Amino acid sequence: MSKTVIVVIDGFGVGAMPDAGALRPGDLTADTCGHVLDHCREALGRPLRLPALGALGLGLVHPHPDLARRTRLPVAVGRAALGYPGADTFAGHQTMMGADFSKVTVARLGEHLDEVTAALEAAGHQVELLGGKPLLAVDGAVLVHDNLEADPGINWNASGRLDDLPFERILSIARTVRAVAPVARVIAVGGHAEQPLSAYVRPGDNGTVGLDTPASGFYTGGGLQVQHLGAELDHARQLPELAAGAGIPVTLVGKAADILACEDAVRRPAVGTAEVLAYTLEAVRAGGDALVVANVQETDLAGHQQDTLRYGQVLEQVDAGLAALTALLDGPGDRLIVTGDHGNDPTIGHAYHTREYVPVLIHRPDAPGLEYLPDADSLADVGATAAVSLGLDTAGLENGTALRARSQAA
């Protein structure tokens, strides 16, 4: 009997990747972990209390004075590059579970207007440019546009007012766009707004144009409906499906329950950190073999809100949960893997994700002691490590090229 638990601290980076400044040169200074620790020490008059993360080796990956530089736990520690374009939660989790995102690109809608227009017209829709801007008005009711709340070119949206048409029609248009879109996600969004959506269109960064969704009132007007349409993936060759196919119970917690595919998984969607941790501990206590993938979303939300103190408070809450998990996962073959999906530095001066390395901290109760691991090229290495720990054949993962030192450390 063995359990493997992956805890993804959403938006938890440990320093900028070399290409972090390609879009915003200032992002080369990004360091979510270090800047949160620095700010919280100043604001609270004390360092953050992160004994569990320290024991798992975070201070060995990020040598900050507020983090322990040694550990007595049997852990393997290192960092991982993201292994996908940009810095995105959906792409991060899919890559982590073994997907190959090498064909996914970062692109503005304006660079693909002809292909998108042709696909929509072939599906019977009326399509026109909105006021000469690089976004499309479909059937006079739905806007197809760049997503202004993520890094430019990461995602596109199909947005409509539910006052004008049902969400199913918005979703149908989004699916047509998805069929030709090269980006990681096309997001169907329906909500209530007082004015026509054209009133809320504005330019974004790097030549993007889109709907200012917060200004539209979609988030506050009630009845919001959203569906994420990811790039085409072979989910049968991702970690959750491989585990379920081998008879291993799979539980997906928090945002992982919303964005990962596995027909047989137990899903525990939640946003609150206390609830995410409670569901994760419940799954571990259930007994027997298990794969649990949990996402702590509130760190990412604090990053978007540029609320450094809130980020630190959530980290302390996560740390307490990790201490409880470490105590439970003490059997031969048990594994606790703590990582991130990208950075989200709340001190960087904008509300976008930051392209950072993420920690990979692996607790191995049956290992002899500490092991340092070289940087991995991709988050897919995390999924490979989990597959090995569960006795699965890593050749079944779509992105088999990412198997390096950590899969051997499993």
Side-chain angles (χ1 to χ4, degrees):
M1 298 292 185
S2 64
K3 300 178 179 65
T4 294
V5 179
I6 301 174
V7 176
V8 183
I9 305 176
D10 204 314
F12 190 50
V14 290
M17 289 174 54
D19 61 355
L23 181 61
R24 292 178 294 270
D27 281 12
L28 283 170
T29 65
D31 180 1
T32 302
C33 177
H35 291 156
V36 168
L37 289 169
D38 290 341
H39 178 92
C40 288
R41 173 185 271 275
E42 182 177 347
L44 299 172
R46 61 166 177 84
L48 286 179
R49 299 185 177 102
L50 305 175
L53 281 165
L56 289 167
L58 180 60
L60 304 175
V61 175
H62 189 296
H64 190 279
D66 288 351
L67 296 171
R69 300 294 185 89
R70 55 187 174 183
T71 176
R72 295 180 180 177
L73 288 180
V75 294
V77 300
R79 304 185 306 177
L82 301 185
Y84 65 87
D88 178 65
T89 294
F90 178 84
H93 282 69
Q94 304 302 334
T95 299
M96 193 183 302
M97 294 299 106
D100 182 359
F101 260 62
S102 61
K103 295 180 181 178
V104 173
T105 62
V106 175
R108 294 169 295 183
L109 176 64
E111 298 164 349
H112 295 270
L113 289 174
D114 290 344
E115 304 99 295
V116 176
T117 298
L120 288 166
E121 289 179 341
H125 297 288
Q126 294 183 337
V127 185
E128 60 182 346
L129 287 175
L130 185 69
K133 300 181 179 71
L135 76 165
L136 302 175
V138 183
D139 298 337
V142 174
L143 296 186
V144 177
H145 59 92
D146 293 308
N147 181 313
L148 302 186
E149 296 173 80
D151 269 340
I154 294 289
N155 305 318
W156 299 347
N157 283 20
S159 303
R161 294 198 322 161
L162 298 177
D163 314 80
D164 302 328
L165 76 173
F167 183 70
E168 289 71 22
R169 284 182 57 193
I170 302 170
L171 181 58
S172 176
I173 290 168
R175 285 177 172 147
T176 301
V177 175
R178 169 72 276 170
V180 295
V183 296
R185 269 187 292 176
V186 173
I187 307 172
V189 185
H192 295 284
E194 292 185 359
Q195 301 182 62
L197 294 188
S198 58
Y200 307 105
V201 169
R202 67 169 176 83
D205 293 337
N206 201 34
T208 56
V209 179
L211 178 70
D212 188 337
T213 307
S216 73
F218 271 17
Y219 295 149
T220 58
L224 179 69
Q225 295 190 61
V226 179
Q227 187 160 333
H228 298 265
L229 305 177
E232 185 175 351
L233 300 170
D234 185 355
H235 295 298
R237 299 187 63 192
Q238 289 187 283
L239 177 64
E241 286 286 6
L242 284 183
I248 299 170
V250 177
T251 303
L252 305 175
V253 182
K255 198 170 185 179
D258 298 327
I259 60 178
L260 294 180
C262 182
E263 186 174 343
D264 295 325
V266 174
R267 297 182 182 275
R268 294 286 186 259
V271 175
T273 301
E275 194 173 7
V276 169
L277 295 172
Y279 282 142
T280 305
L281 288 163
E282 175 187 311
V284 172
R285 292 186 179 115
D289 294 337
L291 168 66
V292 183
V293 183
N295 172 282
V296 177
Q297 187 179 0
E298 285 192 308
T299 42
D300 189 55
L301 296 178
H304 285 306
Q305 295 158 4
Q306 300 177 67
D307 189 340
T308 314
L309 185 58
R310 175 60 181 153
Y311 197 119
Q313 291 169 337
V314 176
L315 269 187
E316 289 191 329
Q317 193 175 3
V318 172
D319 194 85
L322 292 175
L325 283 169
T326 302
L328 287 174
L329 295 166
D330 58 357
D334 286 349
R335 297 291 181 267
L336 171 62
I337 305 174
V338 180
T339 188
D341 52 352
H342 49 72
N344 197 341
D345 189 334
T347 72
I348 204 70
H350 59 71
Y352 295 126
H353 295 158
T354 43
R355 189 164 166 80
E356 298 180 53
Y357 290 101
V358 296
V360 181
L361 315 175
I362 308 170
H363 175 49
R364 309 174 300 169
D366 52 359
L370 172 65
E371 181 180 357
Y372 288 94
L373 301 169
D375 288 347
D377 293 335
S378 171
L379 279 170
D381 204 70
V382 172
T385 299
V388 172
S389 71
L390 291 166
L392 302 173
D393 184 358
T394 56
L397 295 171
E398 183 181 7
N399 192 348
T401 62
L403 311 183
R404 275 184 259 292
R406 284 181 191 78
S407 60
Q408 301 305 311

